[in-house]
């Protein structure tokens, strides 16, 4: 399994790239909030690379370094699952989750509960409506 060296921490490339991409999508508004205006072009360039179909190791490492330069000590780790973001909850209001909104291009593993939500969430990374999919 490939690893991305990001200073004092590692982010697994192959096995976790979908998870990292989904974390970035889910928390992109927060990421944008910590990047000052003068660094936004650099952020948008990195996001463009993350949207591509190539190797994600370089763009993920670049985003990690950018966040560190913007004062986020943990860099990209501050916005990933270990920092409190999780996947789809096991149950909603005592009922099993059977449908969720998922990545529109199946490029990451982000899921958002669809129960009582007729309008899909928008993929923040690609700007497309998420697809509703039956999970069980």
């Amino acid at each position: 399994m490939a690893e991305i060296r990001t200073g004092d921490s590692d982010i697994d490339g192959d096995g976790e790239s979908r998870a990292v991409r989904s974390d970035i999508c889910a928390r992109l508004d927060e990421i944008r909030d910590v990047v000052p205006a003068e660094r936004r072009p650099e952020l948008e360039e990195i996001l463009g690379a993350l949207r591509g179909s190539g190797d994600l190791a370089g763009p993920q490492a670049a985003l990690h370094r950018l966040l560190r330069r913007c004062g986020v000590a943990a860099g990209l780790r501050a916005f990933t699952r270990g920092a409190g973001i999780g996947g789809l909850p096991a149950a909603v209001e005592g009922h099993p989750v059977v449908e969720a909104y998922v990545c529109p291009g199946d490029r990451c593993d982000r899921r958002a509960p669809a129960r009582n939500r007729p309008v899909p969430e928008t993929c923040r990374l690609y700007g497309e409506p998420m697809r509703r999919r039956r999970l069980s």
Side-chain angles (χ1 to χ4, degrees):
M1 174 159 328
E3 288 187 353
I4 302 168
R5 297 293 305 169
T6 54
D8 54 346
S9 62
D10 299 325
I11 299 172
D12 295 338
D14 296 337
E16 295 207 8
S17 60
R18 289 175 59 90
V20 171
R21 191 183 275 173
S22 67
D23 292 344
I24 292 167
C25 177
R27 307 224 10 222
L28 190 53
D29 292 341
E30 294 172 61
I31 290 170
R32 282 193 168 112
D33 285 346
V34 301
V35 176
E38 64 271 9
R39 295 198 180 262
R40 290 284 170 86
E42 183 180 356
L43 174 63
E44 292 307 318
E45 184 177 332
I46 292 168
L47 294 175
L50 284 170
R51 290 180 187 108
S53 59
D55 182 22
L56 298 179
Q60 287 175 3
L63 181 56
H64 177 79
R65 288 189 303 270
L66 174 63
L67 290 169
R68 298 272 316 243
R69 287 193 307 272
C70 293
V72 180
L76 187 54
R77 288 267 186 220
F79 298 94
T80 58
R81 289 164 202 241
I85 186 169
L88 188 65
V92 176
E93 298 174 12
H95 299 284
V97 175
V98 295
E99 289 187 331
Y101 290 111
V102 298
C103 179
D106 198 32
R107 295 170 285 242
C108 74
D109 63 357
R110 180 176 173 216
R111 297 177 181 171
R115 182 182 170 104
N116 299 325
R117 291 186 178 171
V119 177
E121 289 196 29
T122 299
C123 171
R124 291 176 188 95
L125 191 56
Y126 292 91
E128 302 168 9
M130 295 178 73
R131 290 184 298 117
R132 190 176 187 121
R133 187 173 89 189
R134 186 170 196 81
L135 300 178
S136 60

